[in-house]
Amino acid sequence: MIYAAHQEGTMPRERWSSRIGFLLAGIGSAVGLGNIWRFPYIVGQNGGGAFLIPYLISILLLGIPLMILEFAVGRHFRGSTVSSLKRIRNELKWIGVIVTIVSTVILSYYLVITGWTLAFFIFMLSGTELVFGEFIQTYFSPLFFVIVVFMTSFIVAKGIRRGIERTSTIMVPALMGLLAVMVVYALTLPKAVDGISFYLTPDFSRLLDYSVWIAALGQAFFSLSVGSGILLTYGSYLDERVSLESNSGIIALSDSLISFISGLVVFSIVFSFNFEPAAGPSLAFATLPLIFMKVPYGFLLADVFYLLLFFAALTSAISMLEVGVAVLVDETSMSRLKAASLLSVIILVLGFPAALSYSRIGLQLLNTPVLDLMDRLFGSLAIIFTALLISVSSTWFCPKRTIVNQINKNTKCNLGAIIFFLLKYIIPLALFFVLVSSIIGYA
Ligand code: PFF
């Protein structure tokens, strides 16, 4: 059966307008809060420079093959997570449903933080001094959450080319330019070297601790957007002539470079002004603003930083929303606008507890702020689980020829068979092991 010919409904499926458009949307999805807000403190907590070893191994051996697989499945079956997996085998649609739920839950707390970035940008622009602990107790946190939910769904409702691709084509180059400004500033600070040596001096003994490897794998998946169905969905709009191997490589390389550079920026600044480096997730929102308020032209610098963070977060948020929108459009023939609006309501409901977790109410579960708990359960554990489900369902239930042909299309290296082998045997085993040991770790 030729699955590629599947096209339910009457409207032809939209396509990216060009390879560059697809590439920028892919980089936009990968580069997000994970790179600038999460990566630096995870490195700080897990052995500094030594962390880069398990991180790069995870990207190369697990992240990139899974990325290629998701693109291949999406492009071959030309459907959302649910429709594509259903075309492999009807029961597998439930895996599509699980993947969609996971990405929607991640999006709900992700947009809470995206709201903070926009609020910080606007307040700093107007010259207002912001203290995170105070800001978070005001109604501005939920208010900006609502605003960014609306913005995300507005962009996604406009479609692949006019919404997602256009936004990424503007914001991704802009964020790279803003990052370049930050790098020049940070690396010319007097004590930048101290920050960099804290960041990169390797503590190899930490590599004996398996939790460092799990953190590296979780961070690699979060950052590449693997396991969330985004890449599968984006692949379903991709032209057959585009090489999956080289473009996945470019996306992964850009993503890792931006993470690495963000770490340089954050630690150079923190050390130059004698602040505590291991401030955890609040590094970007609590520590950095205090510094920005102290330095000459600090407001300007803060604005560059939070605009950069906001662009990175928004281009990732639209990719996560597209997963659910594509499912509703493909499965129910609902319009994009209706699908995006319906999902926005769901996200507002799901994200509200996260928005309240640092407020005066201090919403907690199991002694952990709800937002942190959602990040741990969904942003770390659940995406490893869904990546496992995707790799097993598309290598064990789909003919090998189908996937290998998709991967080898228009490439010179023809690594399809090797990548398939990794995806069918090695990667599921590795993911299963990681999953079991992290569940035991949590328990
Ligand atoms: N990759 C993006 C980031 O690093 O922030 C966004 C993201 C997508 C995070 C999908 C998590 C996820 F499951």
Side-chain angles (χ1 to χ4, degrees):
M1 200 189 322
I2 301 168
Y3 296 103
H6 264 282
Q7 190 63 70
E8 284 152 17
T10 47
M11 290 269 285
R13 198 171 189 80
E14 235 192 305
R15 296 281 164 96
W16 303 107
S17 71
S18 63
R19 185 182 87 104
I20 292 293
F22 159 70
L23 208 50
L24 288 172
I27 296 174
S29 167
V31 174
L33 293 169
N35 303 61
I36 306 158
W37 161 76
R38 212 169 184 260
F39 184 83
Y41 81 79
I42 297 235
V43 174
Q45 285 172 351
N46 291 285
F51 179 81
L52 297 178
I53 296 171
Y55 182 74
L56 288 177
I57 292 177
S58 306
I59 294 266
L60 281 175
L61 289 184
L62 299 139
I64 295 180
L66 281 162
M67 196 172 196
I68 295 175
L69 177 71
E70 280 199 40
F71 282 144
V73 171
R75 183 163 76 175
H76 185 80
F77 295 101
R78 296 274 173 221
S80 65
T81 49
V82 173
S83 329
S84 289
L85 292 173
K86 191 164 79 177
R87 284 168 196 159
I88 296 178
R89 198 184 173 132
N90 193 37
E91 305 82 62
L92 294 180
K93 68 177 175 225
W94 294 109
I95 291 185
V97 172
I98 295 173
V99 169
T100 309
I101 293 174
V102 167
S103 66
T104 308
V105 175
I106 294 177
L107 178 59
S108 69
Y109 74 79
Y110 198 89
L111 281 171
V112 171
I113 307 169
T114 308
W116 298 347
T117 65
L118 181 62
F120 271 58
F121 170 69
I122 291 177
F123 281 115
M124 297 274 182
L125 197 65
S126 65
T128 314
E129 292 204 352
L130 267 190
V131 177
F132 185 64
E134 289 168 12
F135 159 80
I136 207 75
Q137 308 224 348
T138 64
Y139 61 87
F140 284 115
S141 171
L143 176 69
F144 276 91
F145 170 53
V146 175
I147 294 174
V148 293
V149 169
F150 179 77
M151 289 172 87
T152 308
S153 89
F154 178 78
I155 296 169
V156 174
K158 283 179 88 83
I160 297 305
R161 285 191 188 186
R162 289 195 312 133
I164 296 178
E165 189 176 327
R166 189 180 284 173
T167 307
S168 310
T169 310
I170 298 168
M171 289 189 181
V172 171
L175 82 82
M176 289 177 177
L178 293 168
L179 185 62
V181 173
M182 290 303 295
V183 173
V184 172
Y185 169 78
L187 295 188
T188 49
L189 285 170
K191 287 206 253 165
V193 180
D194 296 351
I196 296 170
S197 73
F198 168 82
Y199 173 42
L200 295 180
T201 303
D203 175 1
F204 289 112
S205 69
R206 293 298 307 278
L207 294 185
L208 298 175
D209 181 354
Y210 77 93
S211 71
V212 169
W213 288 79
I214 292 176
L217 184 79
Q219 176 59 24
F221 279 23
F222 189 94
S223 197
L224 291 182
S225 309
V226 157
S228 58
I230 294 173
L231 306 170
L232 192 158
T233 311
Y234 273 18
S236 74
Y237 308 116
L238 186 58
D239 194 279
E240 298 286 337
R241 284 166 299 185
V242 174
S243 148
L244 299 184
E245 285 168 5
S246 56
N247 288 291
S248 301
I250 295 173
I251 295 173
L253 184 70
S254 321
D255 182 62
S256 306
L257 264 179
I258 291 179
S259 290
F260 180 73
I261 295 173
S262 304
L264 289 180
V265 168
V266 169
F267 288 113
S268 302
I269 296 180
V270 168
F271 270 77
S272 290
F273 296 95
N274 303 320
F275 274 83
E276 236 334 276
S282 56
L283 192 62
F285 294 99
T287 312
L288 289 180
L290 293 177
I291 299 175
F292 290 139
M293 281 188 261
K294 265 179 40 174
V295 302
Y297 303 108
F299 281 113
L300 216 65
L301 208 61
D303 263 325
V304 171
F305 181 75
Y306 290 108
L307 189 62
L308 157 66
L309 214 50
F310 174 63
F311 282 174
L314 193 67
T315 47
S316 299
I318 54 182
S319 69
M320 280 184 250
L321 185 61
E322 179 58 26
V323 176
V325 167
V327 169
L328 289 178
V329 169
D330 283 4
E331 294 298 308
T332 68
S333 306
M334 203 182 261
S335 71
R336 290 186 69 87
L337 180 64
K338 249 197 202 151
S341 312
L342 176 66
L343 281 166
S344 297
V345 175
I346 296 174
I347 286 160
L348 284 174
V349 173
L350 287 175
F352 234 78
L356 293 181
S357 48
Y358 286 98
S359 70
R360 215 163 287 157
I361 304 169
L363 207 55
Q364 293 202 340
L365 257 175
L366 306 172
N367 269 332
T368 317
V370 175
L371 191 151
D372 297 45
L373 193 68
M374 287 170 90
D375 186 41
R376 253 178 247 166
L377 289 181
F378 289 88
S380 308
L381 270 188
I383 49 168
I384 297 179
F385 179 59
T386 47
L388 172 65
L389 293 179
I390 293 175
S391 66
V392 169
S393 55
S394 24
T395 54
W396 286 86
F397 296 96
C398 185
K400 176 177 174 186
R401 200 170 18 97
T402 306
I403 302 290
V404 174
N405 285 348
Q406 252 317 322
I407 298 177
N408 283 344
K409 253 182 205 160
N410 293 307
T411 60
K412 293 185 199 84
C413 2
N414 288 329
L415 294 176
I418 299 171
I419 296 176
F420 188 86
F421 177 81
L422 273 177
L423 287 161
K424 185 165 180 175
Y425 302 102
I426 313 291
I427 293 177
L429 265 176
L431 295 184
F432 182 74
F433 173 75
V434 166
L435 212 57
V436 170
S437 43
S438 36
I439 291 171
I440 293 171
Y442 275 117

